[in-house]
Amino acid sequence: MIQKHVVLRALFGLYVVAGFAFVLTGTVQVVSAALPQSADQELELDVDIIKNRWQWDPDHITVGEGTLVRLNITNDDDYDHGFAVSEFGVDQRLPANSTTTVEFVASRAGDFTFFCSVYCGAGHFGQRGTLTVLSDDSDRVAYEDGITAESDLPIRSHKDSVERLGYTIAEDGVKEFELSADHIMWDYGDGHVIESWGYNGQLPGPEIRVTEGDTVRISFTNKLPVATTVHWHGIDLVNPMDGVPGYTQDPIEPGETFVYEFVAYPAGTRFYHTHGSHHGDEAQQMDMGLAGAFVVEPRDYQAPDVEKTWVLTERIRDGIFPINGAVYPETDPIRVVEGDRVRVRMINAGSATFHPMHLHGHQFKVISVDGNPVPEAAQLTRNTLPILPGETYDVEFIADNPGLWLFHCHELNHAAGGMISAVIYDDYIGGH
Ligand SMILES: [Cu+2]
């Protein structure tokens, strides 16, 4: 597991800049800009960039508020990176094959993203980590101390997941759902168990499926150690229910419940996902698992013979690209019989990368884009379809070529990271 926590809250007494001298040796550079007058704690930490993987190690650093943070960052890549934390005005180039020291004071509490600020290739946009700055007096300190040992969290996998979220019909006819965001350890099925945040304790969250025009009431409880929100992606709802922190609502604090109520419109493959506690942490919350499908069926819905919903997500720092919370070969295949009409609803709920989804042995028609039906004359016939973050596509094909056929992401690093499923014909005997 790459994710590590480094917690330091020791008191070092008054730190005075003038009292320090830095030794310059070899490729170590010292950045002395923006040194503080004083800080009551300090943390010196070695950070590595894992070679050719666009990952920080550690990728989660926890410090107390007011700490002078000194990071000795080693970049063994043959290309430059950068280290930036926008909120603290830190942006430092990290030249290739060298160690650079970056200093700043973590002057206020919260979760902050540190990221690569120099474009460096394929993994650039995923090269992120989290700096958690704990305020000394918050309840969160005690809470985080309690869960820093990751083994305290329940370990779950796609085998524990429910496919669809059940509901009750209230006296006023509204469909009522209970949703929570939970802190768990998630097993993607490849032996790696990763600290995650999931709706109702699973990745992705359970599919919510309703009929167009239904009024839905979703009682959401935040059981995370951080504030969050829920956004209903692609639904034309009333503005106060849109789930954007600081814009349509206050962030939902740990332990709080917020009730979302809206009319499900228009029909189509939509999804729900965190919008973070502010604009800066949405990506982190998404990639830790806070997304699920929201399918609105039209009133006259004619279900195909076989229907699948795939939520495509990413844990870039861990090299994991799951389908419905599992990596190949743990992913569920699509089981068909010859002649079936098969619909796959694909949702890219990752924060950064696109997925050219490719089906072997068949052509499919793209029947919906972002949930909205494509007129028949305009439906493209394809076998590979790129899906950008935030997009959804419904594709349909006729099972007319018996066999065992892969259906996978053709960004082959993603395939290697698990984004592979298959179409399997019942009774087919053959192959290797
Ligand atoms: Cu991909």
PDB file of all heavy atoms in Angstrom, residues 43-71:
ATOM      1  N   LEU A  43       8.095  20.108  11.185  1.00  0.00           N
ATOM      2  CA  LEU A  43       8.127  18.740  10.679  1.00  0.00           C
ATOM      3  C   LEU A  43       9.076  18.715   9.504  1.00  0.00           C
ATOM      4  O   LEU A  43       8.945  19.504   8.570  1.00  0.00           O
ATOM      5  CB  LEU A  43       6.729  18.315  10.204  1.00  0.00           C
ATOM      6  CG  LEU A  43       6.678  17.018   9.388  1.00  0.00           C
ATOM      7  CD1 LEU A  43       7.050  15.827  10.250  1.00  0.00           C
ATOM      8  CD2 LEU A  43       5.300  16.814   8.785  1.00  0.00           C
ATOM      9  N   GLU A  44      10.068  17.824   9.573  1.00  0.00           N
ATOM     10  CA  GLU A  44      10.945  17.626   8.423  1.00  0.00           C
ATOM     11  C   GLU A  44      10.686  16.223   7.908  1.00  0.00           C
ATOM     12  O   GLU A  44      10.664  15.263   8.677  1.00  0.00           O
ATOM     13  CB  GLU A  44      12.421  17.794   8.808  1.00  0.00           C
ATOM     14  CG  GLU A  44      13.339  17.564   7.608  1.00  0.00           C
ATOM     15  CD  GLU A  44      14.670  18.300   7.717  1.00  0.00           C
ATOM     16  OE1 GLU A  44      14.867  19.036   8.701  1.00  0.00           O
ATOM     17  OE2 GLU A  44      15.495  18.128   6.813  1.00  0.00           O
ATOM     18  N   LEU A  45      10.464  16.124   6.612  1.00  0.00           N
ATOM     19  CA  LEU A  45      10.008  14.851   6.068  1.00  0.00           C
ATOM     20  C   LEU A  45      10.608  14.644   4.687  1.00  0.00           C
ATOM     21  O   LEU A  45      10.687  15.577   3.888  1.00  0.00           O
ATOM     22  CB  LEU A  45       8.475  14.901   5.970  1.00  0.00           C
ATOM     23  CG  LEU A  45       7.763  13.667   5.449  1.00  0.00           C
ATOM     24  CD1 LEU A  45       7.927  12.515   6.430  1.00  0.00           C
ATOM     25  CD2 LEU A  45       6.283  13.984   5.259  1.00  0.00           C
ATOM     26  N   ASP A  46      11.034  13.406   4.419  1.00  0.00           N
ATOM     27  CA  ASP A  46      11.497  13.061   3.074  1.00  0.00           C
ATOM     28  C   ASP A  46      10.312  12.578   2.251  1.00  0.00           C
ATOM     29  O   ASP A  46       9.534  11.735   2.698  1.00  0.00           O
ATOM     30  CB  ASP A  46      12.551  11.945   3.138  1.00  0.00           C
ATOM     31  CG  ASP A  46      13.842  12.429   3.786  1.00  0.00           C
ATOM     32  OD1 ASP A  46      14.105  13.650   3.731  1.00  0.00           O
ATOM     33  OD2 ASP A  46      14.571  11.594   4.344  1.00  0.00           O
ATOM     34  N   VAL A  47      10.186  13.132   1.075  1.00  0.00           N
ATOM     35  CA  VAL A  47       9.103  12.737   0.170  1.00  0.00           C
ATOM     36  C   VAL A  47       9.740  12.291  -1.141  1.00  0.00           C
ATOM     37  O   VAL A  47      10.664  12.944  -1.631  1.00  0.00           O
ATOM     38  CB  VAL A  47       8.140  13.917  -0.093  1.00  0.00           C
ATOM     39  CG1 VAL A  47       7.076  13.537  -1.115  1.00  0.00           C
ATOM     40  CG2 VAL A  47       7.488  14.366   1.213  1.00  0.00           C
ATOM     41  N   ASP A  48       9.277  11.183  -1.674  1.00  0.00           N
ATOM     42  CA  ASP A  48       9.784  10.703  -2.962  1.00  0.00           C
ATOM     43  C   ASP A  48       8.686  10.791  -4.009  1.00  0.00           C
ATOM     44  O   ASP A  48       7.506  10.677  -3.696  1.00  0.00           O
ATOM     45  CB  ASP A  48      10.230   9.234  -2.860  1.00  0.00           C
ATOM     46  CG  ASP A  48      11.418   9.074  -1.929  1.00  0.00           C
ATOM     47  OD1 ASP A  48      12.312   9.946  -1.965  1.00  0.00           O
ATOM     48  OD2 ASP A  48      11.437   8.104  -1.152  1.00  0.00           O
ATOM     49  N   ILE A  49       9.113  10.954  -5.245  1.00  0.00           N
ATOM     50  CA  ILE A  49       8.188  10.786  -6.364  1.00  0.00           C
ATOM     51  C   ILE A  49       8.513   9.422  -6.952  1.00  0.00           C
ATOM     52  O   ILE A  49       9.650   9.174  -7.366  1.00  0.00           O
ATOM     53  CB  ILE A  49       8.374  11.893  -7.413  1.00  0.00           C
ATOM     54  CG1 ILE A  49       8.052  13.251  -6.790  1.00  0.00           C
ATOM     55  CG2 ILE A  49       7.497  11.621  -8.629  1.00  0.00           C
ATOM     56  CD1 ILE A  49       8.448  14.421  -7.658  1.00  0.00           C
ATOM     57  N   ILE A  50       7.537   8.531  -6.924  1.00  0.00           N
ATOM     58  CA  ILE A  50       7.813   7.165  -7.380  1.00  0.00           C
ATOM     59  C   ILE A  50       8.100   7.203  -8.877  1.00  0.00           C
ATOM     60  O   ILE A  50       7.321   7.745  -9.662  1.00  0.00           O
ATOM     61  CB  ILE A  50       6.636   6.235  -7.044  1.00  0.00           C
ATOM     62  CG1 ILE A  50       6.439   6.227  -5.523  1.00  0.00           C
ATOM     63  CG2 ILE A  50       6.898   4.829  -7.569  1.00  0.00           C
ATOM     64  CD1 ILE A  50       5.222   5.469  -5.073  1.00  0.00           C
ATOM     65  N   LYS A  51       9.227   6.606  -9.235  1.00  0.00           N
ATOM     66  CA  LYS A  51       9.765   6.774 -10.587  1.00  0.00           C
ATOM     67  C   LYS A  51       8.761   6.344 -11.655  1.00  0.00           C
ATOM     68  O   LYS A  51       8.225   5.237 -11.608  1.00  0.00           O
ATOM     69  CB  LYS A  51      11.065   5.965 -10.718  1.00  0.00           C
ATOM     70  CG  LYS A  51      11.877   6.318 -11.961  1.00  0.00           C
ATOM     71  CD  LYS A  51      13.272   5.705 -11.876  1.00  0.00           C
ATOM     72  CE  LYS A  51      14.056   5.921 -13.159  1.00  0.00           C
ATOM     73  NZ  LYS A  51      14.285   7.345 -13.474  1.00  0.00           N
ATOM     74  N   ASN A  52       8.500   7.252 -12.564  1.00  0.00           N
ATOM     75  CA  ASN A  52       7.619   7.016 -13.712  1.00  0.00           C
ATOM     76  C   ASN A  52       6.198   6.601 -13.328  1.00  0.00           C
ATOM     77  O   ASN A  52       5.493   5.996 -14.125  1.00  0.00           O
ATOM     78  CB  ASN A  52       8.215   5.955 -14.652  1.00  0.00           C
ATOM     79  CG  ASN A  52       9.436   6.492 -15.378  1.00  0.00           C
ATOM     80  OD1 ASN A  52       9.482   7.679 -15.718  1.00  0.00           O
ATOM     81  ND2 ASN A  52      10.421   5.650 -15.592  1.00  0.00           N
ATOM     82  N   ARG A  53       5.781   6.934 -12.099  1.00  0.00           N
ATOM     83  CA  ARG A  53       4.404   6.560 -11.721  1.00  0.00           C
ATOM     84  C   ARG A  53       3.581   7.764 -11.275  1.00  0.00           C
ATOM     85  O   ARG A  53       2.433   7.621 -10.893  1.00  0.00           O
ATOM     86  CB  ARG A  53       4.423   5.485 -10.635  1.00  0.00           C
ATOM     87  CG  ARG A  53       4.904   4.149 -11.199  1.00  0.00           C
ATOM     88  CD  ARG A  53       4.574   3.002 -10.316  1.00  0.00           C
ATOM     89  NE  ARG A  53       3.134   2.812 -10.158  1.00  0.00           N
ATOM     90  CZ  ARG A  53       2.615   1.919  -9.354  1.00  0.00           C
ATOM     91  NH1 ARG A  53       3.396   1.150  -8.643  1.00  0.00           N
ATOM     92  NH2 ARG A  53       1.312   1.790  -9.237  1.00  0.00           N
ATOM     93  N   TRP A  54       4.162   8.938 -11.286  1.00  0.00           N
ATOM     94  CA  TRP A  54       3.423  10.159 -10.964  1.00  0.00           C
ATOM     95  C   TRP A  54       2.724  10.038  -9.609  1.00  0.00           C
ATOM     96  O   TRP A  54       1.559  10.372  -9.457  1.00  0.00           O
ATOM     97  CB  TRP A  54       2.425  10.492 -12.084  1.00  0.00           C
ATOM     98  CG  TRP A  54       3.115  10.788 -13.373  1.00  0.00           C
ATOM     99  CD1 TRP A  54       3.719  11.963 -13.734  1.00  0.00           C
ATOM    100  CD2 TRP A  54       3.303   9.897 -14.480  1.00  0.00           C
ATOM    101  NE1 TRP A  54       4.270  11.854 -14.983  1.00  0.00           N
ATOM    102  CE2 TRP A  54       4.028  10.601 -15.472  1.00  0.00           C
ATOM    103  CE3 TRP A  54       2.931   8.577 -14.724  1.00  0.00           C
ATOM    104  CZ2 TRP A  54       4.385  10.022 -16.687  1.00  0.00           C
ATOM    105  CZ3 TRP A  54       3.289   8.004 -15.935  1.00  0.00           C
ATOM    106  CH2 TRP A  54       3.997   8.726 -16.900  1.00  0.00           C
ATOM    107  N   GLN A  55       3.446   9.522  -8.651  1.00  0.00           N
ATOM    108  CA  GLN A  55       2.872   9.353  -7.318  1.00  0.00           C
ATOM    109  C   GLN A  55       3.818   9.927  -6.278  1.00  0.00           C
ATOM    110  O   GLN A  55       5.020   9.737  -6.368  1.00  0.00           O
ATOM    111  CB  GLN A  55       2.666   7.864  -6.999  1.00  0.00           C
ATOM    112  CG  GLN A  55       1.649   7.191  -7.892  1.00  0.00           C
ATOM    113  CD  GLN A  55       1.590   5.695  -7.636  1.00  0.00           C
ATOM    114  OE1 GLN A  55       1.974   5.232  -6.579  1.00  0.00           O
ATOM    115  NE2 GLN A  55       1.114   4.953  -8.603  1.00  0.00           N
ATOM    116  N   TRP A  56       3.209  10.568  -5.290  1.00  0.00           N
ATOM    117  CA  TRP A  56       3.971  11.031  -4.140  1.00  0.00           C
ATOM    118  C   TRP A  56       4.026   9.909  -3.111  1.00  0.00           C
ATOM    119  O   TRP A  56       3.048   9.200  -2.911  1.00  0.00           O
ATOM    120  CB  TRP A  56       3.294  12.242  -3.496  1.00  0.00           C
ATOM    121  CG  TRP A  56       3.009  13.378  -4.420  1.00  0.00           C
ATOM    122  CD1 TRP A  56       1.818  13.678  -5.012  1.00  0.00           C
ATOM    123  CD2 TRP A  56       3.929  14.396  -4.859  1.00  0.00           C
ATOM    124  NE1 TRP A  56       1.945  14.812  -5.787  1.00  0.00           N
ATOM    125  CE2 TRP A  56       3.221  15.273  -5.713  1.00  0.00           C
ATOM    126  CE3 TRP A  56       5.277  14.643  -4.607  1.00  0.00           C
ATOM    127  CZ2 TRP A  56       3.815  16.380  -6.315  1.00  0.00           C
ATOM    128  CZ3 TRP A  56       5.865  15.746  -5.205  1.00  0.00           C
ATOM    129  CH2 TRP A  56       5.147  16.604  -6.050  1.00  0.00           C
ATOM    130  N   ASP A  57       5.146   9.803  -2.444  1.00  0.00           N
ATOM    131  CA  ASP A  57       5.256   8.823  -1.364  1.00  0.00           C
ATOM    132  C   ASP A  57       5.953   9.496  -0.189  1.00  0.00           C
ATOM    133  O   ASP A  57       7.151   9.762  -0.279  1.00  0.00           O
ATOM    134  CB  ASP A  57       6.047   7.602  -1.832  1.00  0.00           C
ATOM    135  CG  ASP A  57       6.134   6.544  -0.738  1.00  0.00           C
ATOM    136  OD1 ASP A  57       5.311   6.596   0.201  1.00  0.00           O
ATOM    137  OD2 ASP A  57       7.024   5.688  -0.824  1.00  0.00           O
ATOM    138  N   PRO A  58       5.228   9.806   0.901  1.00  0.00           N
ATOM    139  CA  PRO A  58       3.816   9.499   1.132  1.00  0.00           C
ATOM    140  C   PRO A  58       2.910  10.454   0.358  1.00  0.00           C
ATOM    141  O   PRO A  58       3.345  11.527  -0.048  1.00  0.00           O
ATOM    142  CB  PRO A  58       3.659   9.730   2.642  1.00  0.00           C
ATOM    143  CG  PRO A  58       4.664  10.791   2.955  1.00  0.00           C
ATOM    144  CD  PRO A  58       5.843  10.512   2.052  1.00  0.00           C
ATOM    145  N   ASP A  59       1.652  10.030   0.191  1.00  0.00           N
ATOM    146  CA  ASP A  59       0.705  10.901  -0.498  1.00  0.00           C
ATOM    147  C   ASP A  59      -0.335  11.468   0.468  1.00  0.00           C
ATOM    148  O   ASP A  59      -1.304  12.070   0.038  1.00  0.00           O
ATOM    149  CB  ASP A  59       0.042  10.179  -1.668  1.00  0.00           C
ATOM    150  CG  ASP A  59      -0.805   9.004  -1.230  1.00  0.00           C
ATOM    151  OD1 ASP A  59      -0.930   8.766  -0.012  1.00  0.00           O
ATOM    152  OD2 ASP A  59      -1.334   8.310  -2.111  1.00  0.00           O
ATOM    153  N   HIS A  60      -0.131  11.222   1.749  1.00  0.00           N
ATOM    154  CA  HIS A  60      -1.000  11.842   2.752  1.00  0.00           C
ATOM    155  C   HIS A  60      -0.111  12.262   3.916  1.00  0.00           C
ATOM    156  O   HIS A  60       0.548  11.428   4.532  1.00  0.00           O
ATOM    157  CB  HIS A  60      -2.077  10.855   3.211  1.00  0.00           C
ATOM    158  CG  HIS A  60      -3.177  11.511   3.999  1.00  0.00           C
ATOM    159  ND1 HIS A  60      -4.359  10.898   4.293  1.00  0.00           N
ATOM    160  CD2 HIS A  60      -3.257  12.743   4.549  1.00  0.00           C
ATOM    161  CE1 HIS A  60      -5.125  11.722   4.996  1.00  0.00           C
ATOM    162  NE2 HIS A  60      -4.471  12.847   5.165  1.00  0.00           N
ATOM    163  N   ILE A  61      -0.075  13.556   4.175  1.00  0.00           N
ATOM    164  CA  ILE A  61       0.764  14.089   5.242  1.00  0.00           C
ATOM    165  C   ILE A  61      -0.151  14.807   6.221  1.00  0.00           C
ATOM    166  O   ILE A  61      -0.979  15.623   5.813  1.00  0.00           O
ATOM    167  CB  ILE A  61       1.810  15.076   4.672  1.00  0.00           C
ATOM    168  CG1 ILE A  61       2.715  14.358   3.655  1.00  0.00           C
ATOM    169  CG2 ILE A  61       2.632  15.702   5.790  1.00  0.00           C
ATOM    170  CD1 ILE A  61       3.600  15.301   2.853  1.00  0.00           C
ATOM    171  N   THR A  62      -0.022  14.473   7.491  1.00  0.00           N
ATOM    172  CA  THR A  62      -0.862  15.107   8.500  1.00  0.00           C
ATOM    173  C   THR A  62       0.018  15.892   9.464  1.00  0.00           C
ATOM    174  O   THR A  62       1.011  15.360   9.971  1.00  0.00           O
ATOM    175  CB  THR A  62      -1.674  14.043   9.266  1.00  0.00           C
ATOM    176  OG1 THR A  62      -2.451  13.295   8.324  1.00  0.00           O
ATOM    177  CG2 THR A  62      -2.602  14.694  10.270  1.00  0.00           C
ATOM    178  N   VAL A  63      -0.320  17.146   9.694  1.00  0.00           N
ATOM    179  CA  VAL A  63       0.449  17.987  10.611  1.00  0.00           C
ATOM    180  C   VAL A  63      -0.523  18.793  11.463  1.00  0.00           C
ATOM    181  O   VAL A  63      -1.707  18.905  11.148  1.00  0.00           O
ATOM    182  CB  VAL A  63       1.387  18.960   9.855  1.00  0.00           C
ATOM    183  CG1 VAL A  63       2.368  18.195   8.984  1.00  0.00           C
ATOM    184  CG2 VAL A  63       0.592  19.955   9.021  1.00  0.00           C
ATOM    185  N   GLY A  64      -0.012  19.358  12.543  1.00  0.00           N
ATOM    186  CA  GLY A  64      -0.819  20.254  13.362  1.00  0.00           C
ATOM    187  C   GLY A  64      -0.795  21.661  12.778  1.00  0.00           C
ATOM    188  O   GLY A  64       0.154  22.055  12.090  1.00  0.00           O
ATOM    189  N   GLU A  65      -1.848  22.407  13.063  1.00  0.00           N
ATOM    190  CA  GLU A  65      -1.939  23.781  12.583  1.00  0.00           C
ATOM    191  C   GLU A  65      -0.755  24.591  13.112  1.00  0.00           C
ATOM    192  O   GLU A  65      -0.365  24.452  14.272  1.00  0.00           O
ATOM    193  CB  GLU A  65      -3.262  24.392  13.077  1.00  0.00           C
ATOM    194  CG  GLU A  65      -3.595  25.728  12.471  1.00  0.00           C
ATOM    195  CD  GLU A  65      -4.981  26.209  12.911  1.00  0.00           C
ATOM    196  OE1 GLU A  65      -5.689  25.445  13.600  1.00  0.00           O
ATOM    197  OE2 GLU A  65      -5.343  27.338  12.556  1.00  0.00           O
ATOM    198  N   GLY A  66      -0.170  25.408  12.254  1.00  0.00           N
ATOM    199  CA  GLY A  66       0.946  26.253  12.663  1.00  0.00           C
ATOM    200  C   GLY A  66       2.307  25.605  12.502  1.00  0.00           C
ATOM    201  O   GLY A  66       3.331  26.215  12.801  1.00  0.00           O
ATOM    202  N   THR A  67       2.334  24.362  12.013  1.00  0.00           N
ATOM    203  CA  THR A  67       3.612  23.659  11.859  1.00  0.00           C
ATOM    204  C   THR A  67       4.424  24.236  10.705  1.00  0.00           C
ATOM    205  O   THR A  67       3.879  24.527   9.637  1.00  0.00           O
ATOM    206  CB  THR A  67       3.350  22.160  11.582  1.00  0.00           C
ATOM    207  OG1 THR A  67       2.622  21.608  12.666  1.00  0.00           O
ATOM    208  CG2 THR A  67       4.648  21.397  11.398  1.00  0.00           C
ATOM    209  N   LEU A  68       5.726  24.391  10.949  1.00  0.00           N
ATOM    210  CA  LEU A  68       6.643  24.672   9.846  1.00  0.00           C
ATOM    211  C   LEU A  68       6.945  23.333   9.181  1.00  0.00           C
ATOM    212  O   LEU A  68       7.485  22.429   9.820  1.00  0.00           O
ATOM    213  CB  LEU A  68       7.937  25.298  10.364  1.00  0.00           C
ATOM    214  CG  LEU A  68       9.050  25.410   9.305  1.00  0.00           C
ATOM    215  CD1 LEU A  68       8.678  26.407   8.224  1.00  0.00           C
ATOM    216  CD2 LEU A  68      10.369  25.791   9.959  1.00  0.00           C
ATOM    217  N   VAL A  69       6.555  23.209   7.929  1.00  0.00           N
ATOM    218  CA  VAL A  69       6.720  21.946   7.211  1.00  0.00           C
ATOM    219  C   VAL A  69       7.919  22.079   6.281  1.00  0.00           C
ATOM    220  O   VAL A  69       7.990  23.018   5.486  1.00  0.00           O
ATOM    221  CB  VAL A  69       5.449  21.617   6.393  1.00  0.00           C
ATOM    222  CG1 VAL A  69       5.607  20.280   5.680  1.00  0.00           C
ATOM    223  CG2 VAL A  69       4.218  21.602   7.294  1.00  0.00           C
ATOM    224  N   ARG A  70       8.867  21.170   6.419  1.00  0.00           N
ATOM    225  CA  ARG A  70      10.043  21.181   5.547  1.00  0.00           C
ATOM    226  C   ARG A  70      10.089  19.831   4.832  1.00  0.00           C
ATOM    227  O   ARG A  70      10.257  18.790   5.469  1.00  0.00           O
ATOM    228  CB  ARG A  70      11.318  21.396   6.362  1.00  0.00           C
ATOM    229  CG  ARG A  70      12.581  21.459   5.490  1.00  0.00           C
ATOM    230  CD  ARG A  70      13.841  21.617   6.335  1.00  0.00           C
ATOM    231  NE  ARG A  70      13.744  22.789   7.182  1.00  0.00           N
ATOM    232  CZ  ARG A  70      13.869  22.763   8.517  1.00  0.00           C
ATOM    233  NH1 ARG A  70      14.095  21.638   9.147  1.00  0.00           N
ATOM    234  NH2 ARG A  70      13.759  23.868   9.212  1.00  0.00           N
ATOM    235  N   LEU A  71       9.886  19.859   3.541  1.00  0.00           N
ATOM    236  CA  LEU A  71       9.839  18.625   2.760  1.00  0.00           C
ATOM    237  C   LEU A  71      11.082  18.536   1.885  1.00  0.00           C
ATOM    238  O   LEU A  71      11.383  19.468   1.129  1.00  0.00           O
ATOM    239  CB  LEU A  71       8.589  18.604   1.872  1.00  0.00           C
ATOM    240  CG  LEU A  71       7.246  18.754   2.599  1.00  0.00           C
ATOM    241  CD1 LEU A  71       6.104  18.784   1.588  1.00  0.00           C
ATOM    242  CD2 LEU A  71       7.037  17.633   3.611  1.00  0.00           C
TER     243      LEU A  71
END
